[in-house]
Amino acid sequence: MIVCFAAAAAPFVLASAASPATPATAPKRSHELSAIEVFTVAERAQSAGHYEEAIRLYDALTQDRNADVRAEARFRKGMLLASLKRYRKAATAFRELLDETPDAAPVRLELAQVLALMGDEGGARRELRQVQATGLPEQVARAVGQFDTALRSHKRAGLRLEFALAPDTNINRATEVRTLDTVIAPLTLSRDARAQSGLGVHLSADGYLKVPIGAGISVVPRINSLATLYGKSEFDDITVTALVGLEVQRQHDRFSPSIGHGWRWYGKRSYMHTDVATLDWIHVLGQTAQLSGSVSAATTDYQLNNLQDGALYSVSVGVERALSARSGVSVALNAVRQTARDPGYATASGGVRLLGWREAGRTTLFASATLQRTEGDAALALFGKRRREWFASVRAGATLRALTVHGFAPYVRVGYERNASSVDLYDYRRFTSEFGITSAF
């Protein structure tokens, strides 16, 4: 069930469209009609089934000098597109309106509903948390509560694609030192074994299919893939994971157990196979926050070094909270345990990740920081040292929705990583960047 927000959104209809006392001049292509008259023509076209004509009229009104007229035009355009099931374009229209009027709660609710219909439940819930952070009238608050209870991922299938150019100062995450001290003799590293810079192409694709089998229960097979390709193919890094599992939805919780298999290729060679079982959990935590958790267990089969074969266990927990209609933060803790045939390759690690985001006009900004500690079980035979590492990274980026084309917008991301290790082979630093396109909402 999707709750209709028509009643809650009614107050958003603006005075400029309701009162002839404050007419605004429409663009010239509207033949100097007042904004109110153009809205009337658009309504008639919409009622007659001439939807493209109505959309063109609304588009013309979004160029008006009066901010209220622009907002009303975008709202009506979004509602029309949503009724035509053009959800991506509807989401873009609502997002453009929110860029100018971020505290327009009814519009954010409509955006949440459209995102849910597209299958982006996470995005829909985030919009709900942000609108609830602003405080709502009782009538609207009741509508939100009904929607939050009824919220499901309605889309039965989905596909997400991302493309970017990725300049990188250390594409192989390698040390910069030329010579390593070993228990045998100093080891001189070849040029390819040391840090290499390069320009890569970043590609990712995620797809899923949802098959309902009962009330609030679905079978969900999915596939995730990530590739970074370089001119020097020996550094190409490709990962593919195929999973199948259940999605169990309850009033305030969603559980997703799954099993699957993963493949990783590095260069032109098979690098690792994994068999994995996971359990993901999301819990609504009040009106403006949610709690998420994940546990997984996997077996690892390294194709190039059997001494690394073993098991991989991980657990994470995080909280996400909306601070306002335009900003939010999250914090997550994680722990990982990796076993191996050779204790020198076995490690235990734990870390924390902080993330914040803010909408500034028609740009979405984010920044994140990660800190992680890793300890090896025993000394590596060749180096006579046990791994002790601090890993730190910072990232920031922006999505430029002002340049949206067909629901996609350009983005830029930059980052810095530093892995300080007691074993020189694992000690590195790295600057990264991405210039690509992503969904605009």
Side-chain angles (χ1 to χ4, degrees):
M1 179 180 105
I2 286 291
V3 177
C4 178
F5 288 113
F12 187 74
V13 178
L14 301 170
S16 64
S19 172
T22 57
T25 301
K28 290 184 178 180
R29 59 176 174 172
S30 298
H31 308 291
E32 302 303 329
L33 296 176
S34 71
I36 299 171
E37 292 171 325
V38 177
F39 276 122
T40 300
V41 174
E43 287 178 353
R44 290 174 181 170
Q46 186 172 335
S47 298
H50 304 311
Y51 303 123
E52 299 305 323
E53 180 182 347
I55 291 171
R56 284 194 295 271
L57 290 169
Y58 291 140
D59 281 337
L61 287 165
T62 62
Q63 306 304 311
D64 197 277
R65 289 174 294 179
N66 188 307
D68 288 346
V69 171
R70 295 197 302 271
E72 182 68 16
R74 289 191 175 105
F75 183 72
R76 296 192 186 194
K77 176 185 174 182
M79 296 297 289
L80 173 57
L81 290 168
S83 71
L84 297 174
K85 298 184 178 181
R86 302 179 190 176
Y87 299 128
R88 182 181 294 274
K89 292 184 177 181
T92 301
F94 290 139
R95 176 60 69 192
E96 289 175 349
L97 174 49
L98 288 168
D99 288 339
E100 291 193 1
T101 55
D103 294 327
V107 181
R108 201 170 289 279
L109 297 179
E110 294 295 344
L111 174 59
Q113 181 162 262
V114 168
L115 292 176
L117 290 168
M118 293 174 59
D120 185 4
E121 182 181 338
R125 290 193 181 278
R126 183 172 293 112
E127 295 300 329
L128 289 184
R129 290 192 294 276
Q130 288 183 254
V131 74
Q132 288 171 319
T134 65
L136 296 172
E138 182 179 354
Q139 179 185 8
V140 179
R142 284 199 300 268
V144 173
Q146 289 177 316
F147 181 43
D148 187 52
T149 299
L151 184 59
R152 301 291 185 271
S153 204
H154 289 264
K155 199 172 182 182
R156 297 292 178 85
L159 177 66
R160 183 191 65 83
L161 302 173
E162 189 171 270
F163 168 84
L165 296 178
D168 193 323
T169 63
N170 192 345
I171 62 179
N172 50 341
R173 293 181 174 87
T175 183
E176 297 175 354
V177 302
R178 295 176 178 272
T179 304
L180 298 177
D181 292 327
T182 73
V183 296
I184 303 172
L187 175 65
T188 301
L189 296 177
S190 67
R191 183 69 185 92
D192 288 346
R194 302 197 305 273
Q196 297 279 307
S197 63
L199 174 63
V201 175
H202 172 90
L203 302 168
S204 67
D206 303 318
Y208 70 89
L209 178 67
K210 184 172 294 187
V211 183
I213 60 174
I217 303 177
S218 300
V219 175
V220 185
R222 60 185 185 272
I223 187 167
N224 306 314
S225 62
L226 174 65
T228 305
L229 310 177
Y230 299 97
K232 299 178 179 180
S233 59
E234 62 266 31
F235 299 121
D236 290 351
D237 196 349
I238 302 171
T239 302
V240 178
T241 305
L243 298 164
V244 62
L246 297 175
E247 182 178 282
V248 182
Q249 186 80 49
R250 294 296 179 257
Q251 183 175 3
H252 297 297
D253 299 271
R254 186 181 71 189
F255 302 92
S256 303
S258 60
I259 58 173
H261 189 80
W263 302 262
R264 183 179 178 186
W265 296 266
Y266 191 80
K268 299 179 180 180
R269 306 175 66 178
S270 176
Y271 179 74
M272 181 175 65
H273 290 184
T274 58
D275 290 303
V276 62
T278 68
L279 174 62
D280 298 320
W281 168 58
I282 295 176
H283 174 70
V284 176
L285 203 63
Q287 293 185 331
T288 60
Q290 76 171 18
L291 177 69
S292 61
S294 178
V295 294
S296 68
T299 60
T300 58
D301 180 9
Y302 287 85
Q303 304 297 291
L304 305 180
N305 184 358
N306 291 335
L307 295 178
Q308 292 179 267
D309 293 350
L312 183 65
Y313 307 98
S314 68
V315 58
S316 65
V317 62
V319 177
E320 179 182 307
R321 181 179 178 81
L323 300 179
S324 70
R326 308 208 72 171
S327 62
V329 295
S330 70
V331 58
L333 302 175
N334 73 83
V336 178
R337 171 59 175 160
Q338 182 169 10
T339 66
R341 293 183 180 180
D342 182 342
Y345 293 107
T347 60
S349 62
V352 59
R353 180 174 185 262
L354 304 176
L355 169 68
W357 68 91
R358 180 173 178 80
E359 294 174 8
R362 299 190 64 186
T363 301
T364 300
L365 306 172
F366 87 91
S368 68
T370 300
L371 182 65
Q372 183 165 298
R373 176 66 172 177
T374 298
E375 292 275 350
D377 282 17
L380 289 160
L382 182 61
F383 301 101
K385 294 181 181 180
R386 184 165 66 92
R387 287 179 63 184
R388 294 184 176 91
E389 298 174 357
W390 281 105
F391 172 83
S393 73
V394 291
R395 299 190 72 201
T399 301
L400 310 174
R401 294 195 310 277
L403 304 178
T404 298
V405 177
H406 299 300
F408 288 86
Y411 72 84
V412 57
R413 299 169 189 160
V414 295
Y416 173 73
E417 295 179 7
R418 176 72 174 103
N419 195 59
S421 178
S422 58
V423 179
D424 287 342
L425 183 65
Y426 297 99
D427 190 279
Y428 73 88
R429 66 191 72 221
R430 179 185 182 217
F431 288 95
T432 64
S433 57
E434 292 180 23
F435 304 89
I437 54 174
T438 188
S439 297
F441 40 83

